[in-house]
Amino acid sequence: MRWSPTGWGAEIIDNDAPGGLTVLPVERWSSRGAAMVAHTSGRLIPARRVPGFQKLVETHRTVAVIPAAPGWNIHAEPSGDQPSYITPVAAWVMTGDGDFWPVAAVGHDIGAGPANPDPDGAIMLRPHWSTRCRIVGPAYPVVL
């Protein structure tokens, strides 16, 4: 997890996650300053009460999500066993730093990186931050 509304995440030991760690987004701060994360019960709880809590880490602070105009695509180069692919951009996430990141339908490779969407439908929408990708804009006709 690299995104949260506060710009912070709670690093948790997770043996099922790549690298053995996962980061839960800090959704808000309590009136006493405790980092609050979403619990499986559907409630916000202090991050320090989550089993396996390690520490707070900085993430990108999400300030806006904007739908993408039709025609924007991500062109990914091949990497390891992953072939190249093209996937449409569904939206843009704006961070507190003013950066925009594309949100696309992607699958997961074995390293939990972005991968070509699975033909069986195993995809998710998420911000796409791979350095092996190019963002290509719409090919609108030029009128002179």
Side-chain angles (χ1 to χ4, degrees):
M1 171 49 186
R2 297 183 185 206
W3 312 87
S4 81
T6 62
W8 289 91
E11 189 175 82
I12 310 295
I13 292 175
D14 179 357
N15 294 328
D16 294 331
L21 296 171
T22 193
V23 177
L24 299 175
V26 172
E27 301 293 337
R28 68 176 182 88
W29 304 98
S30 74
S31 60
R32 295 184 178 163
M36 305 296 286
V37 297
H39 186 262
T40 55
S41 67
R43 299 178 318 144
L44 290 178
I45 65 168
R48 66 181 176 350
R49 289 191 21 213
V50 175
F53 172 76
Q54 297 297 296
K55 62 184 176 183
L56 293 179
V57 295
E58 286 189 75
T59 66
H60 295 288
R61 184 172 61 91
T62 303
V63 295
V65 178
I66 304 162
W72 285 91
N73 288 291
I74 294 172
H75 292 231
E77 301 298 323
S79 176
D81 293 341
Q82 289 294 329
S84 63
Y85 64 90
I86 297 172
T87 189
V89 175
W92 300 95
V93 172
M94 181 181 173
T95 69
D97 296 330
D99 295 328
F100 283 84
W101 294 83
V103 175
V106 294
H108 286 290
D109 66 15
I110 57 172
N116 192 14
D118 187 321
D120 295 328
I123 61 171
M124 63 184 294
L125 284 176
R126 68 173 182 158
H128 204 286
W129 58 82
S130 176
T131 56
R132 66 182 181 89
C133 298
R134 291 181 299 122
I135 300 169
V136 178
Y140 296 118
V142 177
V143 179
L144 300 175

mmCIF file with all atom_site columns, all heavy atoms in Angstrom, residues 85-103:
data_model
loop_
_atom_site.group_PDB
_atom_site.id
_atom_site.type_symbol
_atom_site.label_atom_id
_atom_site.label_alt_id
_atom_site.label_comp_id
_atom_site.label_asym_id
_atom_site.label_entity_id
_atom_site.label_seq_id
_atom_site.pdbx_PDB_ins_code
_atom_site.Cartn_x
_atom_site.Cartn_y
_atom_site.Cartn_z
_atom_site.occupancy
_atom_site.B_iso_or_equiv
_atom_site.pdbx_formal_charge
_atom_site.auth_seq_id
_atom_site.auth_comp_id
_atom_site.auth_asym_id
_atom_site.auth_atom_id
_atom_site.pdbx_PDB_model_num
ATOM 1   N N   . TYR A 1 85  ? 2.366   -5.296 -22.201 1.00 0.00 ? 85  TYR A N   1
ATOM 2   C CA  . TYR A 1 85  ? 0.913   -5.165 -22.264 1.00 0.00 ? 85  TYR A CA  1
ATOM 3   C C   . TYR A 1 85  ? 0.527   -3.700 -22.363 1.00 0.00 ? 85  TYR A C   1
ATOM 4   O O   . TYR A 1 85  ? 1.326   -2.810 -22.080 1.00 0.00 ? 85  TYR A O   1
ATOM 5   C CB  . TYR A 1 85  ? 0.216   -5.823 -21.067 1.00 0.00 ? 85  TYR A CB  1
ATOM 6   C CG  . TYR A 1 85  ? 0.526   -5.206 -19.730 1.00 0.00 ? 85  TYR A CG  1
ATOM 7   C CD1 . TYR A 1 85  ? -0.250  -4.165 -19.225 1.00 0.00 ? 85  TYR A CD1 1
ATOM 8   C CD2 . TYR A 1 85  ? 1.585   -5.655 -18.955 1.00 0.00 ? 85  TYR A CD2 1
ATOM 9   C CE1 . TYR A 1 85  ? 0.022   -3.598 -17.995 1.00 0.00 ? 85  TYR A CE1 1
ATOM 10  C CE2 . TYR A 1 85  ? 1.864   -5.094 -17.726 1.00 0.00 ? 85  TYR A CE2 1
ATOM 11  C CZ  . TYR A 1 85  ? 1.085   -4.073 -17.249 1.00 0.00 ? 85  TYR A CZ  1
ATOM 12  O OH  . TYR A 1 85  ? 1.352   -3.505 -16.038 1.00 0.00 ? 85  TYR A OH  1
ATOM 13  N N   . ILE A 1 86  ? -0.711  -3.479 -22.767 1.00 0.00 ? 86  ILE A N   1
ATOM 14  C CA  . ILE A 1 86  ? -1.307  -2.147 -22.805 1.00 0.00 ? 86  ILE A CA  1
ATOM 15  C C   . ILE A 1 86  ? -2.615  -2.236 -22.036 1.00 0.00 ? 86  ILE A C   1
ATOM 16  O O   . ILE A 1 86  ? -3.404  -3.156 -22.240 1.00 0.00 ? 86  ILE A O   1
ATOM 17  C CB  . ILE A 1 86  ? -1.567  -1.681 -24.248 1.00 0.00 ? 86  ILE A CB  1
ATOM 18  C CG1 . ILE A 1 86  ? -0.251  -1.571 -25.018 1.00 0.00 ? 86  ILE A CG1 1
ATOM 19  C CG2 . ILE A 1 86  ? -2.313  -0.351 -24.256 1.00 0.00 ? 86  ILE A CG2 1
ATOM 20  C CD1 . ILE A 1 86  ? -0.432  -1.291 -26.508 1.00 0.00 ? 86  ILE A CD1 1
ATOM 21  N N   . THR A 1 87  ? -2.834  -1.290 -21.126 1.00 0.00 ? 87  THR A N   1
ATOM 22  C CA  . THR A 1 87  ? -4.075  -1.267 -20.362 1.00 0.00 ? 87  THR A CA  1
ATOM 23  C C   . THR A 1 87  ? -4.570  0.175  -20.265 1.00 0.00 ? 87  THR A C   1
ATOM 24  O O   . THR A 1 87  ? -3.765  1.098  -20.169 1.00 0.00 ? 87  THR A O   1
ATOM 25  C CB  . THR A 1 87  ? -3.890  -1.896 -18.960 1.00 0.00 ? 87  THR A CB  1
ATOM 26  O OG1 . THR A 1 87  ? -5.162  -2.051 -18.330 1.00 0.00 ? 87  THR A OG1 1
ATOM 27  C CG2 . THR A 1 87  ? -2.978  -1.090 -18.081 1.00 0.00 ? 87  THR A CG2 1
ATOM 28  N N   . PRO A 1 88  ? -5.881  0.392  -20.322 1.00 0.00 ? 88  PRO A N   1
ATOM 29  C CA  . PRO A 1 88  ? -6.394  1.764  -20.269 1.00 0.00 ? 88  PRO A CA  1
ATOM 30  C C   . PRO A 1 88  ? -6.275  2.370  -18.869 1.00 0.00 ? 88  PRO A C   1
ATOM 31  O O   . PRO A 1 88  ? -6.333  1.661  -17.862 1.00 0.00 ? 88  PRO A O   1
ATOM 32  C CB  . PRO A 1 88  ? -7.858  1.630  -20.676 1.00 0.00 ? 88  PRO A CB  1
ATOM 33  C CG  . PRO A 1 88  ? -8.201  0.210  -20.465 1.00 0.00 ? 88  PRO A CG  1
ATOM 34  C CD  . PRO A 1 88  ? -6.931  -0.586 -20.557 1.00 0.00 ? 88  PRO A CD  1
ATOM 35  N N   . VAL A 1 89  ? -6.115  3.685  -18.836 1.00 0.00 ? 89  VAL A N   1
ATOM 36  C CA  . VAL A 1 89  ? -6.118  4.428  -17.580 1.00 0.00 ? 89  VAL A CA  1
ATOM 37  C C   . VAL A 1 89  ? -7.579  4.740  -17.242 1.00 0.00 ? 89  VAL A C   1
ATOM 38  O O   . VAL A 1 89  ? -8.311  5.293  -18.054 1.00 0.00 ? 89  VAL A O   1
ATOM 39  C CB  . VAL A 1 89  ? -5.293  5.733  -17.704 1.00 0.00 ? 89  VAL A CB  1
ATOM 40  C CG1 . VAL A 1 89  ? -5.407  6.563  -16.436 1.00 0.00 ? 89  VAL A CG1 1
ATOM 41  C CG2 . VAL A 1 89  ? -3.832  5.410  -18.018 1.00 0.00 ? 89  VAL A CG2 1
ATOM 42  N N   . ALA A 1 90  ? -8.012  4.349  -16.044 1.00 0.00 ? 90  ALA A N   1
ATOM 43  C CA  . ALA A 1 90  ? -9.389  4.575  -15.621 1.00 0.00 ? 90  ALA A CA  1
ATOM 44  C C   . ALA A 1 90  ? -9.547  5.913  -14.899 1.00 0.00 ? 90  ALA A C   1
ATOM 45  O O   . ALA A 1 90  ? -10.591 6.550  -14.973 1.00 0.00 ? 90  ALA A O   1
ATOM 46  C CB  . ALA A 1 90  ? -9.841  3.447  -14.695 1.00 0.00 ? 90  ALA A CB  1
ATOM 47  N N   . ALA A 1 91  ? -8.495  6.328  -14.177 1.00 0.00 ? 91  ALA A N   1
ATOM 48  C CA  . ALA A 1 91  ? -8.571  7.553  -13.385 1.00 0.00 ? 91  ALA A CA  1
ATOM 49  C C   . ALA A 1 91  ? -7.154  8.032  -13.091 1.00 0.00 ? 91  ALA A C   1
ATOM 50  O O   . ALA A 1 91  ? -6.174  7.353  -13.401 1.00 0.00 ? 91  ALA A O   1
ATOM 51  C CB  . ALA A 1 91  ? -9.320  7.290  -12.077 1.00 0.00 ? 91  ALA A CB  1
ATOM 52  N N   . TRP A 1 92  ? -7.059  9.203  -12.470 1.00 0.00 ? 92  TRP A N   1
ATOM 53  C CA  . TRP A 1 92  ? -5.790  9.768  -12.016 1.00 0.00 ? 92  TRP A CA  1
ATOM 54  C C   . TRP A 1 92  ? -5.902  10.046 -10.530 1.00 0.00 ? 92  TRP A C   1
ATOM 55  O O   . TRP A 1 92  ? -6.905  10.565 -10.060 1.00 0.00 ? 92  TRP A O   1
ATOM 56  C CB  . TRP A 1 92  ? -5.479  11.075 -12.747 1.00 0.00 ? 92  TRP A CB  1
ATOM 57  C CG  . TRP A 1 92  ? -5.360  10.913 -14.218 1.00 0.00 ? 92  TRP A CG  1
ATOM 58  C CD1 . TRP A 1 92  ? -6.337  11.109 -15.157 1.00 0.00 ? 92  TRP A CD1 1
ATOM 59  C CD2 . TRP A 1 92  ? -4.208  10.477 -14.936 1.00 0.00 ? 92  TRP A CD2 1
ATOM 60  N NE1 . TRP A 1 92  ? -5.865  10.838 -16.402 1.00 0.00 ? 92  TRP A NE1 1
ATOM 61  C CE2 . TRP A 1 92  ? -4.552  10.453 -16.310 1.00 0.00 ? 92  TRP A CE2 1
ATOM 62  C CE3 . TRP A 1 92  ? -2.910  10.122 -14.572 1.00 0.00 ? 92  TRP A CE3 1
ATOM 63  C CZ2 . TRP A 1 92  ? -3.655  10.084 -17.296 1.00 0.00 ? 92  TRP A CZ2 1
ATOM 64  C CZ3 . TRP A 1 92  ? -2.019  9.766  -15.557 1.00 0.00 ? 92  TRP A CZ3 1
ATOM 65  C CH2 . TRP A 1 92  ? -2.382  9.743  -16.897 1.00 0.00 ? 92  TRP A CH2 1
ATOM 66  N N   . VAL A 1 93  ? -4.862  9.679  -9.773  1.00 0.00 ? 93  VAL A N   1
ATOM 67  C CA  . VAL A 1 93  ? -4.776  10.008 -8.355  1.00 0.00 ? 93  VAL A CA  1
ATOM 68  C C   . VAL A 1 93  ? -3.832  11.190 -8.228  1.00 0.00 ? 93  VAL A C   1
ATOM 69  O O   . VAL A 1 93  ? -2.725  11.164 -8.772  1.00 0.00 ? 93  VAL A O   1
ATOM 70  C CB  . VAL A 1 93  ? -4.227  8.822  -7.531  1.00 0.00 ? 93  VAL A CB  1
ATOM 71  C CG1 . VAL A 1 93  ? -3.947  9.237  -6.098  1.00 0.00 ? 93  VAL A CG1 1
ATOM 72  C CG2 . VAL A 1 93  ? -5.195  7.657  -7.554  1.00 0.00 ? 93  VAL A CG2 1
ATOM 73  N N   . MET A 1 94  ? -4.273  12.226 -7.516  1.00 0.00 ? 94  MET A N   1
ATOM 74  C CA  . MET A 1 94  ? -3.407  13.371 -7.244  1.00 0.00 ? 94  MET A CA  1
ATOM 75  C C   . MET A 1 94  ? -2.914  13.261 -5.814  1.00 0.00 ? 94  MET A C   1
ATOM 76  O O   . MET A 1 94  ? -3.697  13.033 -4.894  1.00 0.00 ? 94  MET A O   1
ATOM 77  C CB  . MET A 1 94  ? -4.164  14.678 -7.421  1.00 0.00 ? 94  MET A CB  1
ATOM 78  C CG  . MET A 1 94  ? -3.305  15.884 -7.174  1.00 0.00 ? 94  MET A CG  1
ATOM 79  S SD  . MET A 1 94  ? -4.282  17.389 -7.376  1.00 0.00 ? 94  MET A SD  1
ATOM 80  C CE  . MET A 1 94  ? -3.076  18.583 -6.833  1.00 0.00 ? 94  MET A CE  1
ATOM 81  N N   . THR A 1 95  ? -1.595  13.389 -5.636  1.00 0.00 ? 95  THR A N   1
ATOM 82  C CA  . THR A 1 95  ? -1.007  13.321 -4.304  1.00 0.00 ? 95  THR A CA  1
ATOM 83  C C   . THR A 1 95  ? -0.880  14.718 -3.715  1.00 0.00 ? 95  THR A C   1
ATOM 84  O O   . THR A 1 95  ? -1.032  15.722 -4.414  1.00 0.00 ? 95  THR A O   1
ATOM 85  C CB  . THR A 1 95  ? 0.385   12.669 -4.334  1.00 0.00 ? 95  THR A CB  1
ATOM 86  O OG1 . THR A 1 95  ? 1.298   13.560 -4.996  1.00 0.00 ? 95  THR A OG1 1
ATOM 87  C CG2 . THR A 1 95  ? 0.352   11.312 -5.015  1.00 0.00 ? 95  THR A CG2 1
ATOM 88  N N   . GLY A 1 96  ? -0.565  14.771 -2.443  1.00 0.00 ? 96  GLY A N   1
ATOM 89  C CA  . GLY A 1 96  ? -0.358  16.034 -1.758  1.00 0.00 ? 96  GLY A CA  1
ATOM 90  C C   . GLY A 1 96  ? 0.803   16.834 -2.324  1.00 0.00 ? 96  GLY A C   1
ATOM 91  O O   . GLY A 1 96  ? 0.894   18.041 -2.106  1.00 0.00 ? 96  GLY A O   1
ATOM 92  N N   . ASP A 1 97  ? 1.701   16.181 -3.061  1.00 0.00 ? 97  ASP A N   1
ATOM 93  C CA  . ASP A 1 97  ? 2.819   16.865 -3.698  1.00 0.00 ? 97  ASP A CA  1
ATOM 94  C C   . ASP A 1 97  ? 2.452   17.420 -5.066  1.00 0.00 ? 97  ASP A C   1
ATOM 95  O O   . ASP A 1 97  ? 3.280   18.019 -5.740  1.00 0.00 ? 97  ASP A O   1
ATOM 96  C CB  . ASP A 1 97  ? 4.011   15.913 -3.858  1.00 0.00 ? 97  ASP A CB  1
ATOM 97  C CG  . ASP A 1 97  ? 4.566   15.445 -2.523  1.00 0.00 ? 97  ASP A CG  1
ATOM 98  O OD1 . ASP A 1 97  ? 4.464   16.210 -1.541  1.00 0.00 ? 97  ASP A OD1 1
ATOM 99  O OD2 . ASP A 1 97  ? 5.093   14.329 -2.470  1.00 0.00 ? 97  ASP A OD2 1
ATOM 100 N N   . GLY A 1 98  ? 1.208   17.165 -5.523  1.00 0.00 ? 98  GLY A N   1
ATOM 101 C CA  . GLY A 1 98  ? 0.773   17.636 -6.830  1.00 0.00 ? 98  GLY A CA  1
ATOM 102 C C   . GLY A 1 98  ? 1.113   16.687 -7.965  1.00 0.00 ? 98  GLY A C   1
ATOM 103 O O   . GLY A 1 98  ? 0.931   17.021 -9.128  1.00 0.00 ? 98  GLY A O   1
ATOM 104 N N   . ASP A 1 99  ? 1.605   15.487 -7.634  1.00 0.00 ? 99  ASP A N   1
ATOM 105 C CA  . ASP A 1 99  ? 1.888   14.485 -8.659  1.00 0.00 ? 99  ASP A CA  1
ATOM 106 C C   . ASP A 1 99  ? 0.593   13.759 -9.027  1.00 0.00 ? 99  ASP A C   1
ATOM 107 O O   . ASP A 1 99  ? -0.296  13.595 -8.194  1.00 0.00 ? 99  ASP A O   1
ATOM 108 C CB  . ASP A 1 99  ? 2.887   13.446 -8.147  1.00 0.00 ? 99  ASP A CB  1
ATOM 109 C CG  . ASP A 1 99  ? 4.251   14.044 -7.859  1.00 0.00 ? 99  ASP A CG  1
ATOM 110 O OD1 . ASP A 1 99  ? 4.640   14.999 -8.551  1.00 0.00 ? 99  ASP A OD1 1
ATOM 111 O OD2 . ASP A 1 99  ? 4.925   13.549 -6.935  1.00 0.00 ? 99  ASP A OD2 1
ATOM 112 N N   . PHE A 1 100 ? 0.519   13.330 -10.290 1.00 0.00 ? 100 PHE A N   1
ATOM 113 C CA  . PHE A 1 100 ? -0.615  12.530 -10.748 1.00 0.00 ? 100 PHE A CA  1
ATOM 114 C C   . PHE A 1 100 ? -0.121  11.137 -11.107 1.00 0.00 ? 100 PHE A C   1
ATOM 115 O O   . PHE A 1 100 ? 0.894   10.997 -11.783 1.00 0.00 ? 100 PHE A O   1
ATOM 116 C CB  . PHE A 1 100 ? -1.274  13.176 -11.979 1.00 0.00 ? 100 PHE A CB  1
ATOM 117 C CG  . PHE A 1 100 ? -2.139  14.339 -11.637 1.00 0.00 ? 100 PHE A CG  1
ATOM 118 C CD1 . PHE A 1 100 ? -1.597  15.602 -11.472 1.00 0.00 ? 100 PHE A CD1 1
ATOM 119 C CD2 . PHE A 1 100 ? -3.505  14.173 -11.459 1.00 0.00 ? 100 PHE A CD2 1
ATOM 120 C CE1 . PHE A 1 100 ? -2.401  16.680 -11.148 1.00 0.00 ? 100 PHE A CE1 1
ATOM 121 C CE2 . PHE A 1 100 ? -4.312  15.247 -11.131 1.00 0.00 ? 100 PHE A CE2 1
ATOM 122 C CZ  . PHE A 1 100 ? -3.756  16.512 -10.976 1.00 0.00 ? 100 PHE A CZ  1
ATOM 123 N N   . TRP A 1 101 ? -0.844  10.114 -10.662 1.00 0.00 ? 101 TRP A N   1
ATOM 124 C CA  . TRP A 1 101 ? -0.505  8.723  -10.943 1.00 0.00 ? 101 TRP A CA  1
ATOM 125 C C   . TRP A 1 101 ? -1.700  8.075  -11.631 1.00 0.00 ? 101 TRP A C   1
ATOM 126 O O   . TRP A 1 101 ? -2.838  8.280  -11.216 1.00 0.00 ? 101 TRP A O   1
ATOM 127 C CB  . TRP A 1 101 ? -0.202  7.978  -9.646  1.00 0.00 ? 101 TRP A CB  1
ATOM 128 C CG  . TRP A 1 101 ? 1.030   8.479  -8.983  1.00 0.00 ? 101 TRP A CG  1
ATOM 129 C CD1 . TRP A 1 101 ? 1.136   9.574  -8.165  1.00 0.00 ? 101 TRP A CD1 1
ATOM 130 C CD2 . TRP A 1 101 ? 2.339   7.931  -9.088  1.00 0.00 ? 101 TRP A CD2 1
ATOM 131 N NE1 . TRP A 1 101 ? 2.429   9.728  -7.765  1.00 0.00 ? 101 TRP A NE1 1
ATOM 132 C CE2 . TRP A 1 101 ? 3.192   8.728  -8.309  1.00 0.00 ? 101 TRP A CE2 1
ATOM 133 C CE3 . TRP A 1 101 ? 2.858   6.836  -9.766  1.00 0.00 ? 101 TRP A CE3 1
ATOM 134 C CZ2 . TRP A 1 101 ? 4.547   8.470  -8.185  1.00 0.00 ? 101 TRP A CZ2 1
ATOM 135 C CZ3 . TRP A 1 101 ? 4.209   6.576  -9.643  1.00 0.00 ? 101 TRP A CZ3 1
ATOM 136 C CH2 . TRP A 1 101 ? 5.040   7.381  -8.865  1.00 0.00 ? 101 TRP A CH2 1
ATOM 137 N N   . PRO A 1 102 ? -1.451  7.290  -12.681 1.00 0.00 ? 102 PRO A N   1
ATOM 138 C CA  . PRO A 1 102 ? -2.573  6.645  -13.355 1.00 0.00 ? 102 PRO A CA  1
ATOM 139 C C   . PRO A 1 102 ? -3.133  5.482  -12.535 1.00 0.00 ? 102 PRO A C   1
ATOM 140 O O   . PRO A 1 102 ? -2.390  4.776  -11.855 1.00 0.00 ? 102 PRO A O   1
ATOM 141 C CB  . PRO A 1 102 ? -1.947  6.129  -14.654 1.00 0.00 ? 102 PRO A CB  1
ATOM 142 C CG  . PRO A 1 102 ? -0.506  5.908  -14.311 1.00 0.00 ? 102 PRO A CG  1
ATOM 143 C CD  . PRO A 1 102 ? -0.165  6.971  -13.299 1.00 0.00 ? 102 PRO A CD  1
ATOM 144 N N   . VAL A 1 103 ? -4.437  5.313  -12.597 1.00 0.00 ? 103 VAL A N   1
ATOM 145 C CA  . VAL A 1 103 ? -5.113  4.166  -11.990 1.00 0.00 ? 103 VAL A CA  1
ATOM 146 C C   . VAL A 1 103 ? -5.552  3.277  -13.141 1.00 0.00 ? 103 VAL A C   1
ATOM 147 O O   . VAL A 1 103 ? -6.218  3.734  -14.063 1.00 0.00 ? 103 VAL A O   1
ATOM 148 C CB  . VAL A 1 103 ? -6.335  4.597  -11.162 1.00 0.00 ? 103 VAL A CB  1
ATOM 149 C CG1 . VAL A 1 103 ? -7.087  3.385  -10.632 1.00 0.00 ? 103 VAL A CG1 1
ATOM 150 C CG2 . VAL A 1 103 ? -5.919  5.508  -10.024 1.00 0.00 ? 103 VAL A CG2 1
#
